Amino acid sequence: MFSEDNLLPISALQHLLYCDRQCALIHVERLWAENRFTAEGGILHRRAHSGKSDTRPAGRSARGLPVRSLTLGLFGVADVVRYEKGADAPIVPVEYKRGRPKKNDCDRVQLCAQALCLEEMHGRDLPFGEIFYGKTKRRVRVEFTPDLRRTTIDATARLHDLVRSGRTPPADPGPKCDRCSLRELCLPRLGGRVARKAYSFDREIDALLASPSFPGETSS
Ligand code: SF4
């Protein structure tokens, strides 16, 4: 069981599944940079959260709903949660994404993590959720299968291990780097000099301080 003080954001799971190093740069070293993709995603989420919650005959939709799980050690904000009417009617989290469905599991894992939080908060099972993709303008139904739940729980454990370790793994350059907002901070293709070594911001600061020509100083 986690305490309120050591919960991690659900969004970090996406960073982890995209790239371990990106996740550590953001959640261990507290670095951040925007690019077109992150800015568009931010606008879409602000819009999803800004509408009012509404009640209809079929049920109620809550927007920008805070969720958390002390079992998993996660917190976040669900874009929309649909509470359908009826004793056994499902609770359905709906996530909004700017792009199109991805080959990897990162969007499904993020949605499943929200569902696991909601299950803990409401004390009941959630069978499925939905992801709306801005590029295709379609909702995709995501079943919370035992496999997806296991993948989500394993990724969460790995996330906590990574953040607890305080270490940033080496770069693993690939096509993903072209879309990565942290590319300029990560320098993934530094010919192996920095990028392939385990990189630590603390270590780089130590090296700078130890350098005889520390930037901004003139050597005598
Ligand atoms: S530039 Fe590449 S290796 Fe570096 S954090 Fe981004 S995705 Fe990971």
Side-chain angles (χ1 to χ4, degrees):
M1 216 40 144
F2 290 84
S3 72
E4 295 278 358
D5 292 340
N6 46 25
L7 304 183
L8 294 174
I10 289 173
S11 57
L13 289 170
Q14 281 230 314
H15 302 141
L16 182 79
L17 294 177
Y18 191 75
C19 170
D20 284 23
R21 178 171 170 83
Q22 187 202 63
C23 182
L25 290 171
I26 297 169
H27 299 283
V28 175
E29 301 190 16
R30 307 279 174 196
L31 299 177
W32 180 247
E34 290 276 7
N35 67 6
R36 190 168 63 86
F37 305 115
T38 58
E40 285 178 10
I43 290 167
L44 190 70
H45 277 104
R46 275 196 294 283
R47 281 196 191 147
H49 295 179
S50 66
K52 289 205 175 90
S53 299
D54 59 76
T55 306
R56 294 179 195 175
R60 181 169 68 87
S61 290
R63 286 174 185 259
L65 186 74
V67 298
R68 67 137 203 221
S69 163
L70 295 180
T71 308
L72 289 176
L74 291 176
F75 74 96
V77 178
D79 287 342
V80 173
V81 180
R82 233 171 40 230
Y83 292 87
E84 298 186 354
K85 215 163 190 169
D88 294 324
I91 298 172
V92 183
V94 184
E95 179 69 12
Y96 288 78
K97 295 287 175 198
R98 55 166 289 285
R100 56 181 77 249
K102 303 178 183 74
K103 285 190 188 134
N104 69 23
D105 263 341
C106 63
D107 291 345
R108 289 185 289 277
V109 163
Q110 183 182 9
L111 187 70
C112 185
Q114 290 177 10
L116 294 172
C117 291
L118 286 162
E119 287 185 345
E120 188 173 311
M121 291 161 63
H122 292 294
R124 52 182 285 197
D125 289 349
L126 272 62
F128 68 92
E130 293 171 354
I131 304 175
F132 176 86
Y133 286 98
K135 277 272 189 298
T136 55
K137 308 241 178 299
R138 297 188 81 125
R139 278 177 193 232
V140 174
R141 180 170 159 133
V142 177
E143 305 288 339
F144 300 131
T145 61
D147 272 0
L148 180 56
R149 287 167 184 270
R150 176 48 50 204
T151 303
T152 305
I153 291 166
D154 289 350
T156 304
R158 214 155 67 70
L159 171 66
H160 277 281
D161 285 347
L162 180 71
V163 172
R164 211 177 293 122
S165 77
R167 297 174 71 86
T168 301
D172 176 22
K176 64 187 176 179
C177 301
D178 295 339
R179 296 170 61 91
C180 176
S181 69
L182 296 190
R183 191 185 162 83
E184 297 303 314
L185 299 168
C186 167
L187 305 174
R189 295 186 198 283
L190 258 189
R193 211 157 36 86
V194 173
R196 299 225 172 105
K197 271 197 300 184
Y199 174 96
S200 147
F201 188 62
D202 291 348
R203 228 177 300 146
E204 195 159 282
I205 292 290
D206 286 348
L208 274 173
L209 289 172
S211 157
S213 54
F214 181 66
E217 286 180 356
T218 43
S219 47
S220 51

